[in-house]
Amino acid sequence: MGSNKGLLMIDGKPLIQKISDQLTPFFNEVIISANNHDIYKFMNLKIIRDEEQNCGPLMGIYSTLLHSNDRLNFIVACDNPTIKISIVNKMVNMAEHCDIVVPVYENAKCEPLFAVYNKAVVPFIRDALSHGNRRITELLSNVNVKYFHLDSQDEIINLNTKEDLLRWQSEKQTINQEFS
């Protein structure tokens, strides 16, 4: 998108704050994984830098899990403006006897950056990273994963591009007008 998505203004707040506001009532701890610590200081949350730089999202997950106080952790990217807590609750409830719960669509596309990770997966991530494997999908093939099957109403919104943002804003505006 060309800018820091976490600082993108949505409904008058930075996107990272919109996400945090949705999560804070439901979790003991909300942690931000960011290598640029200073830009999120205004959030007054624990901010974790990657243990090693330039290793991608898997290193961010690893570093965050190392510093989390909880056994089960909902990991979400900073580009998800709307978090359906009902989906998160169902995934947390599924997570008791596995390493990761990942939502998956009918077309088999999964969302590993909107998933529940058990801290027990830390040694597997460390091993993957130490062997140069940075892909989350490779990790999924080496641990005990449960897949949460999403139906058509359970779309997980990712604002990866300006077009995604404009489409989401347009859809949101349409919904708001229907209920006004």
Side-chain angles (χ1 to χ4, degrees):
M1 197 176 291
S3 61
N4 184 320
K5 291 188 266 188
L7 297 178
L8 188 65
M9 295 302 283
I10 304 284
D11 299 330
K13 316 179 171 178
L15 181 53
I16 192 81
Q17 185 175 353
K18 183 172 177 57
I19 294 167
S20 173
D21 289 350
Q22 292 173 79
L23 297 176
T24 300
F26 300 99
F27 292 94
N28 298 326
E29 177 178 49
V30 174
I31 300 172
I32 297 173
S33 170
N35 286 319
N36 187 342
H37 188 272
D38 294 335
I39 63 172
Y40 294 119
K41 275 187 176 179
F42 71 94
M43 293 292 298
N44 295 315
L45 295 170
K46 186 189 298 186
I47 302 170
I48 303 300
R49 289 186 176 99
D50 287 356
E51 296 287 314
E52 187 178 325
Q53 302 295 307
N54 303 314
C55 292
L58 189 57
M59 180 58 78
I61 293 169
Y62 172 75
S63 302
T64 300
L65 290 174
L66 283 177
H67 294 278
S68 170
N69 293 318
D70 295 301
R71 185 175 59 84
L72 297 177
N73 296 268
F74 174 59
I75 304 288
V76 62
C78 74
D79 63 358
N80 297 103
T82 305
I83 297 174
K84 293 184 180 179
I85 294 298
S86 61
I87 293 173
V88 176
N89 281 335
K90 289 174 187 174
M91 292 191 313
V92 168
N93 289 333
M94 290 175 64
E96 191 56 40
H97 299 290
C98 68
D99 296 315
I100 305 171
V101 178
V102 179
V104 63
Y105 292 101
E106 291 176 6
N107 66 3
K109 178 184 179 246
C110 67
E111 295 280 358
L113 293 177
F114 190 100
V116 176
Y117 288 74
N118 189 316
K119 279 187 87 158
V121 79
V122 164
F124 295 98
I125 299 175
R126 183 183 312 116
D127 184 60
L129 291 167
S130 72
H131 288 93
N133 299 326
R134 298 180 182 173
R135 296 177 54 106
I136 299 172
T137 53
E138 286 182 32
L139 173 70
L140 297 179
S141 64
N142 293 310
V143 297
N144 181 8
V145 178
K146 288 184 183 175
Y147 290 94
F148 177 79
H149 295 277
L150 297 167
D151 60 34
S152 59
Q153 292 87 26
D154 290 334
E155 182 182 9
I156 295 171
I157 308 295
N158 295 307
L159 302 180
N160 293 316
T161 65
K162 287 186 181 190
E163 291 77 22
D164 291 341
L165 173 62
L166 293 171
R167 184 174 35 258
W168 177 74
Q169 288 174 327
S170 174
E171 290 169 4
K172 187 175 147 197
Q173 183 68 28
T174 301
I175 290 170
N176 287 342
Q177 289 173 353
E178 289 175 4
F179 290 100
S180 302

